[in-house]
Amino acid sequence: MDKFSIEGPSRIRGEVEISGSKNSSLPILAATLLFNKPVVIKNLPRVKDINTMINLLRSLGSKIILSKDRRIAKIHNKTKLKTFASYSLVKTMRGSILVLGPLISKYYKSKISLPGGCLIGARPINYHLDSLKKLGMSYVLKDGYIIAKSKGKLKGTTIKFPKLTVGATENSIIAACLAKGTTILKNCAIEPEIKDLTNFLNSAGAKISWIGRTCKIVGINTLNPTEYSVMADRIEAGTFCVAATLAKGNLKISNFDPKIINTEMGLLKKFGAKIKVHKEKIFIKGPEKIRFIKKIKTKEYPGVATDLQSQIMVLMCKANGKGSITENIFENRFMHVAELRRLGAKIDVKNNQAHIYGNTKFIGAELMSSDLRASVSLVLAAMVSKGKSIINRIYHLDRGYENIEHKLKKIGVKIKRIKQ
């Protein structure tokens, strides 16, 4: 397993171009299973999760041609696809459950392994199964597989999600596109990545509209050929904004719509960052001294993103005071705390709340990654630590951040990948 060696402290300068969104690309790629006609997806990020999804689609029979830089996928499902998704392909990625909706909607059956992914909480798939069942799917769970079928076309209905759920909202929207009649989804998650999925489907002739957290899908018989460019990754952009705030940085962040991280930029201004936005660019300067914020809570969009919680915690460690973070999305998302303590952080955790004692003087140490976003928080902490840090198991990072060491080197971080 590869690892990173980082020599700190760093003071970062320069420009970072944001890659395509992983969390947007995955449902869009899954939705291509609905098509018989050619689809071109552009601005894909070059990360492991995208490779996994492409391999999964190919295993189902999708014909996929990737450009040399792997950012553009031409997909054409000329023949009837397979409906079996094996454990070997699904085990590493929670997002693989997103092929269930389109397979049931198009082929009326599917056998898919229960998915894997980061160990950050239960992330139950029952919301996916319950909503698809209301559309007409029946299923059994056997030997670690979901064995599902429907009696012909799914049928539009009204579904109210018991809680906000990104994945189940996406799966239900995809499945409802080819259903008979109209589907109304209430209490939907409204993350920008979900809106990107519906924009993609509408570009191919789907009839999807939004009013607040209610999504209306009028079923159609077939989708048209389309070309679509995936939105930029808001979590990557947010991560580099935190990095600039943390390391007295002076960064230009480009190829990104700043509006979708307004909440997080407002937070960073409270920490002392100076931020200007212009069209698809963010100009951000970090403060000499980081101010503390007493209480921060993660929340569904448009609240503070859970995927930026661990990065913000590093900022709080360096802030001039004591504060707390309450994690409201995932119940097991403080696994980075033990590793931050190895660098010298003073953090107490009780249930879903972390109390952070600021003015930490990070000292380099050997660290272990536990999940995707926790991994990047360790990179940020190592970046502002005194001395050398080694971060092990960085395959987690490779799942969601494209060429992160190259982007960090370019702005002044002393980082190198050690091949194992």
Side-chain angles (χ1 to χ4, degrees), residues 355-375:
H355 297 273
I356 301 108
Y357 302 83
N359 295 309
T360 300
K361 291 179 172 62
F362 285 133
I363 304 294
E366 186 150 0
L367 306 167
M368 187 72 72
S369 298
S370 56
D371 66 74
L372 172 54
R373 306 305 172 186
S375 303

Side-chain angles (χ1 to χ4, degrees), residues 9-20:
S10 303
R11 189 164 184 163
I12 58 180
R13 296 281 185 279
E15 181 175 359
V16 175
E17 190 169 313
I18 300 303
S19 301

Side-chain angles (χ1 to χ4, degrees), residues 48-61:
K48 279 190 177 176
D49 273 9
I50 300 304
N51 295 340
T52 301
M53 180 59 84
I54 285 170
N55 289 337
L56 175 55
L57 296 183
R58 281 176 168 160
S59 78
L60 296 170

Side-chain angles (χ1 to χ4, degrees), residues 121-140:
R123 294 216 264 195
I125 63 161
N126 57 301
Y127 299 120
H128 298 252
L129 299 176
D130 290 348
S131 61
L132 292 172
K133 188 176 179 182
K134 286 172 184 171
L135 288 167
M137 181 186 86
S138 59
Y139 70 93
V140 293

Side-chain angles (χ1 to χ4, degrees), residues 381-400:
M383 203 174 76
V384 292
S385 296
K386 185 178 179 181
K388 183 190 281 190
S389 295
I390 301 292
I391 303 175
N392 294 285
R393 289 189 359 191
I394 58 169
Y395 65 84
H396 287 292
L397 265 170
D398 293 333
R399 285 186 48 223

Side-chain angles (χ1 to χ4, degrees), residues 204-227:
K207 295 179 179 177
I208 306 169
S209 56
W210 288 90
I211 299 175
R213 290 194 179 273
T214 298
C215 184
K216 178 182 176 182
I217 307 107
V218 179
I220 57 173
N221 289 322
T222 186
L223 290 160
N224 303 321
T226 189
E227 283 194 15

